[in-house]
Each structure stands twice: as C-alpha cells, then as structure tokens.
Amino acid sequence: MTETRLRFPPSPTGYLHIGGARTALYNWLYAKKNGGKLILRIEDTDTERSTKESIQGIVDGLEWLGIDFDEGPYFQTDFSSDHKAAAEKLLKEGKAYKCFCTKETLDAKREAALAAKQALGYDRTCTNLSTEEVAQKEAEGIPYVIRFKVPDGDRMIGYDDKILGRIQCNIKEIDDFVIVRSNGLPLYLLCNVVDDIRDRISHIIRGQDHMTNTIRQILLYEALGAPVPVFAHMPLTLDTKKAKISKRSHGEIVAVQFYRDHGFLPWAFNNFLVLLGWSEGNDREIYSKEELIEAFTLERINKSSSIFNFKKDDPKFFTDPKAISINEHYLRSMDIRELGTLVKSELQAEGLWDDAYEGDKADWYHNTLDMIRDRFHTLKDFTSLGRAYFGDDFSVEEKPLKKNILKHEGLKEWFPILADRYEQLSDFSLEEAERVARELATELDIKPGIIINGMRTVVTGQLAGPSMFDILMAIGKEKVVQRLRNIEKLYPAE
Ligand code: GLU
C-alpha cells in the first residue's frame, strides 16, 4: 500500500493569511486522521517576490497554530536541477519540444485566428522543425521556450476530485503549454509536479484557484511516468462582498499573525478556520483537536466558497464574530492552569507579572482569572479590561466615568468616608464589605447602586464585571481603600 503523504507548499511572497492557514490545517487534519505524513515545502522559485521575512512569518504562523510537519521545510530552489532534468527528460523522449516562435509571431497568429473564429491554441509550427533546424537556430542564439507536447487524440482526460467530483475535458482542447521559459527557468507548473513526485505526495489538497493547472499537471505526471495523486480542490474564502481576500484590499486582519497578536487562542483559531469551508453536516461548532481529527473528511468540505465575515468597522467585533465567539468559548472553559500560563505571557509583556502568582498567590491568581474571564473575548482583555486586578496603572473608561462618577459629585466626599470604614474593618469579608457599603447608603439616604456602581468604576475602571463584592475581595482591602481615596482625581480640577 502506498504511504499517505501530503504537503503544504506556500509561496513565500507575503504573510500566512487565513486562506493559506486553512489549507495547511486541512492537509494536517487529513494526514493525522489517516496516519499520513505532512511535508512543508517552501515554493520560492519566484526569487523576485520571495522574501526571508515571509518564510519566517509562515513558519511562525504555523508554529503558533500548532500545525506541525513530519518533513521540511524543503526549499524549491534547492531542487532546480531536478526541474531542469525533468524538462530534459521530456525533450529527450519527444514529449516536449523547443519552440522558437517569437511573441510577435504568436500574437499575429492569435489575432488572425480570432478574426477567423478559429481555435486559439499554439499551432505547433515548431514540432515540424528537424533536428538540424533546431541545432541551427540554437547555434544562431535564437531564444526558445520548451513546450510540452500534449498527446494527440480525441479522449477525455481528468480526475475524480474528492470534493468536486469528476473534472474532465477533451485532451484535444489542451494547448501545448510552456514548461521552460526562454531564460531557461522551468515554470512553476512543472516544478510543482517534479517536487510532488520526488516527495512522493499521494494527496493534494489545495485551493480551487489552482484548478486551472491540474489537468495539465496530470499530463506531466503521466509523461514523467509517475502515479497521479488524489486531488481535492477546496472552495476559496471570500469577503462579505464575495471578493477574494488579500492583504492589499483587507490589510492585516486577514493575516494569521493578527490573531496571535490580538490574543486569540491557537486551537480556538484552528477551530474557527476549519469551519470556513467544512462542517460535519450539522450545526456543531466546537471540536477538540482529537474530535476534529476524528470527524474530518474531505467529502464534507463545502463545494462553494466560504465567507470570512470580518467587520472592520464594528467596534464590538473587530473581526469575524464567529472567530470571537469560538475564542470566548475556549477562553471561558479551558483549564484554568493552562489559561494561567497564557495570561502569564500577557502580564509579563506589560510588566504586570508577579512571581508570587506561581507561589503563594497561585490560588488568588487562578481564582481571579476564573472570575474575570466570563466577560472576556481574547487574552488581551486580561491586561486591558482586567488590568486593575494586576496593577494600579489602569484607566477609567469614559462611559462609567460619566455615568457613575461625574454625575454624582457627592462621591468625592462619601468615598473617603467609606475608605476609612473599610480600613478600620478587622475582617474585610464579602459580607462585611457589603454591610458597610449599604449602611453608608442608608445613612446618606441614597440608592446603594450609587455607591456600588461608583465603587466598581474607581476600583476597576469598568462599567460592568463580576459581582462588586467579589471584586473587592479579589483586589484586596489595601488597594480598595487607596482607590476609594483617590476618587478626587477623577473629577476635573476646580
Ligand atoms: N505555491 C502554491 C501557493 O502558494 C501552492 C501550489 C499547490 O498547492 O500546488 O499557492
């Protein structure tokens, strides 16, 4: 039985975008499910557009996602002698030929054919050249390309696409295509096949944008005497206006790094990516790694394009709402210790980490994360919305400032009183803290909500959050007292 071998062969001309990441993920899932191997091959033959930064970005992005490889990265440019050798072999076996036709001649012929409503394909002028004529032209230094000689005949050629079904055309409709340019460089179409043959690739899962190459590539496999792999062409990922997504038109928001840098959890992001074009046939959305490997099949990949519904202009959803809701699901339900490790990096990056969170304050740390995560969307929220739990340099949001502080001038006097009473409490417990706050409200004949909402604002800077007295316990007496006393700073100077 042949081995199951897949590859992810990105061209390093940009960052890893969500379309590429999804292709990598589908290949990875298929390999994992079928006990196969996955190979990373960097297709860097376009040396003008390939960059080191892009290679690094792709490798980093895949590593962040946890998409690991069994072999590679291989670099296509390291195998240029294989590509040339394949072209030579085809020439030698009469399966390809040198074509000396100039661009001008080809253009003129094309126009004439258009006018006469005839077929536009290359008319095979150069197949009639004798060996001597070819040698003569070469000796004269006339530039040439190498064309693949499509076998003659009137038969259907094609493949059974695992997603789209039978794809075929009549071989006589295929033009003798170029496989080596006049500068001697083999075309990508050929390099890709030669590499897949060498890497013994059995399954090619790639975007539908590559389908224009597939039948010609099958002819190359056959001509090179290699088994043709199984093909599965995935639907493209489009934006809400049905346009192809790209950095040029959409910016960083389509790059995998954007999600890493915005505090997404790697597995949550994979879980989002897989649903961009695949479903089990029901409305299930959440899959653990093991569950997804088990459930994934090529046959259940959608035939039509999927929509990446990012909402650039919506302040609530800065990206696809589904990406956010899946992230929230994992953030709010994952093992608290695992979350603790991820939040540690966020806190460290902001200078808010305390080693005691792994020592005597470990319980406090995990309980606090557990308490605040219910309203959070990404890891970044722990150092923004949740900043007040870890440091004093948090800001007070405008909405609660206006609503809960500035509207109630009296708080300026009341909070220092409350601070004194809290300070004097020997037992700063949840019940006591609540009793004292409510008692003050009664004395002042004001609604307890004024005290409670105001306190939430000065203590956390936020409009909403966990229960107020739970918050007080998490922040601790000393800081609560200090923040209540500092209330004056929130009012404009008189
Ligand atoms: N290098 C191609 C790309 O980045 C992939 C070609 C393939 O999968 O065959 O789009």
Side-chain angles (χ1 to χ4, degrees):
M1 226 177 85
T2 51
E3 227 186 316
T4 300
R5 289 172 64 86
L6 293 102
R7 78 321 190 246
F8 177 56
S11 304
T13 54
Y15 53 86
L16 179 66
H17 62 70
I18 62 161
R22 189 189 59 155
T23 304
L25 174 65
Y26 285 11
N27 277 282
W28 182 85
L29 286 168
Y30 190 86
K32 290 275 176 246
K33 171 149 187 173
N34 296 285
K37 296 249 181 331
L38 180 60
I39 288 134
L40 175 59
R41 185 173 73 228
I42 306 289
E43 297 203 320
D44 56 349
T45 30
D46 184 349
T47 44
E48 269 170 32
R49 293 179 61 224
S50 300
T51 65
K52 278 208 173 63
E53 296 74 46
S54 168
I55 296 174
Q56 196 56 50
I58 291 168
V59 169
D60 289 349
L62 293 168
E63 194 184 315
W64 176 71
L65 286 167
I67 297 180
D68 52 350
F69 292 86
D70 301 288
E71 288 174 33
Y74 297 136
F75 291 87
Q76 194 159 52
T77 43
D78 288 343
F79 297 96
S80 44
S81 55
D82 287 5
H83 309 142
K84 289 192 180 128
E88 283 304 319
K89 182 173 184 288
L90 293 173
L91 268 181
K92 224 165 102 200
E93 293 174 2
K95 294 173 180 166
Y97 59 92
K98 293 176 182 170
C99 170
F100 296 88
C101 294
T102 61
K103 187 174 176 305
E104 291 70 32
T105 313
L106 293 174
D107 285 350
K109 282 185 181 172
R110 202 183 138 81
E111 270 181 33
L114 260 179
K117 297 207 165 87
Q118 284 168 354
L120 297 182
Y122 177 60
D123 66 1
R124 293 192 153 172
T125 304
C126 290
T127 50
N128 299 321
L129 295 174
S130 65
T131 322
E132 293 73 33
E133 282 170 315
V134 170
Q136 166 87 29
K137 283 180 185 289
E138 274 195 79
E140 286 170 27
I142 301 176
Y144 63 86
V145 297
I146 299 177
R147 284 184 189 273
F148 180 73
K149 193 172 177 197
V150 176
D152 292 322
D154 183 357
R155 64 178 166 101
M156 296 309 273
I157 167 145
Y159 58 100
D160 292 313
D161 191 288
K162 281 280 176 206
I163 300 166
L164 302 170
R166 184 77 190 157
I167 305 287
Q168 57 182 4
C169 73
N170 195 310
I171 196 164
K172 67 181 182 191
E173 287 162 24
I174 308 171
D175 204 7
D176 285 355
F177 53 91
V178 176
I179 52 174
V180 178
R181 288 189 191 85
S182 57
N183 61 7
L185 290 178
L187 260 92
Y188 164 74
L189 186 80
L190 174 68
C191 303
N192 184 250
V193 168
V194 170
D195 292 344
D196 282 338
I197 294 174
R198 187 196 53 252
D199 293 335
R200 294 177 288 116
I201 300 303
S202 61
H203 292 70
I204 293 183
I205 306 173
R206 63 184 177 188
Q208 281 177 15
D209 47 341
H210 291 288
M211 280 178 81
T212 47
N213 291 333
T214 308
I215 292 189
R216 286 179 295 161
Q217 290 191 316
I218 289 176
L219 291 174
L220 289 173
Y221 279 99
E222 288 176 349
L224 291 165
V228 178
V230 172
F231 284 97
H233 289 97
M234 308 174 354
L236 299 183
T237 303
L238 306 175
D239 70 8
T240 42
K241 294 186 186 117
K242 302 253 160 91
K244 226 180 135 176
I245 54 164
S246 72
K247 185 173 177 188
R248 216 175 317 126
S249 35
H250 304 99
E252 299 294 332
I253 202 153
V254 298
V256 165
Q257 270 89 339
F258 176 89
Y259 295 87
R260 181 196 63 196
D261 298 345
H262 280 76
F264 279 74
L265 302 163
W267 181 253
F269 198 66
N270 279 304
N271 193 152
F272 162 69
L273 280 178
V274 80
L275 300 177
L276 280 177
W278 175 90
S279 89
E280 215 184 337
N282 50 31
D283 48 17
R284 179 166 177 192
E285 289 193 335
I286 301 294
Y287 291 86
S288 71
K289 200 179 283 185
E290 295 68 31
E291 286 167 342
L292 191 56
I293 291 170
E294 173 71 30
F296 185 79
T297 60
L298 295 179
E299 289 75 11
R300 292 228 69 104
I301 294 177
N302 303 342
K303 288 187 175 42
S304 50
S305 341
S306 53
I307 303 294
F308 176 48
N309 180 19
F310 62 88
K311 302 198 169 183
K312 250 196 294 198
D313 307 322
D314 186 330
K316 183 156 183 270
F317 298 115
F318 63 94
T319 186
D320 194 312
K322 188 173 278 181
I324 297 189
S325 73
I326 293 179
N327 203 57
E328 287 166 358
H329 168 85
Y330 284 98
L331 194 77
R332 296 171 190 180
S333 61
M334 73 190 290
D335 177 75
I336 201 68
R337 287 181 183 275
E338 259 177 65
L339 179 65
T341 313
L342 296 169
V343 176
K344 176 180 177 181
S345 313
E346 300 294 329
L347 293 173
Q348 279 174 325
E350 295 282 317
L352 296 170
W353 174 250
D354 179 349
D355 282 339
Y357 297 160
E358 281 173 347
D360 21 316
K361 288 196 196 154
D363 285 347
W364 176 87
Y365 178 60
H366 294 124
N367 291 339
T368 302
L369 295 185
D370 199 24
M371 178 176 94
I372 59 182
R373 67 172 162 174
D374 269 355
R375 283 169 183 269
F376 288 179
H377 315 287
T378 74
L379 289 171
K380 294 290 163 199
D381 292 339
F382 288 92
T383 51
S384 55
L385 307 178
R387 199 173 184 89
Y389 294 88
F390 307 101
D392 293 321
D393 67 334
F394 63 95
S395 52
V396 175
E397 286 186 346
E398 202 176 311
K399 220 167 152 187
L401 179 68
K402 279 193 185 146
K403 193 170 162 225
N404 298 335
I405 304 293
L406 302 183
K407 248 176 78 182
H408 307 286
E409 282 270 339
L411 290 171
K412 230 192 285 187
E413 280 144 43
W414 306 332
F415 273 5
I417 301 173
L418 184 60
D420 289 345
R421 294 190 187 174
Y422 276 165
E423 197 168 42
Q424 281 153 24
L425 277 181
S426 55
D427 169 28
F428 187 67
S429 65
L430 200 108
E431 295 72 26
E432 282 297 277
E434 179 163 4
R435 183 186 60 75
V436 170
R438 289 190 186 277
E439 230 171 60
L440 181 66
T442 313
E443 265 173 49
L444 296 166
D445 197 20
I446 56 169
K447 287 195 190 121
I450 296 180
I451 299 278
I452 292 172
N453 293 332
M455 195 147 54
R456 180 189 298 285
T457 309
V458 298
V459 172
T460 67
Q462 298 293 307
L463 185 64
S467 143
M468 186 55 228
F469 297 99
D470 286 335
I471 295 177
L472 295 189
M473 294 307 108
I475 304 266
K477 179 164 142 180
E478 197 183 323
K479 280 184 192 256
V480 168
V481 166
Q482 190 186 47
R483 289 176 192 179
L484 286 171
R485 283 196 180 130
N486 280 342
I487 186 167
E488 213 179 311
K489 294 189 184 146
L490 295 181
Y491 293 89
E494 275 161 24

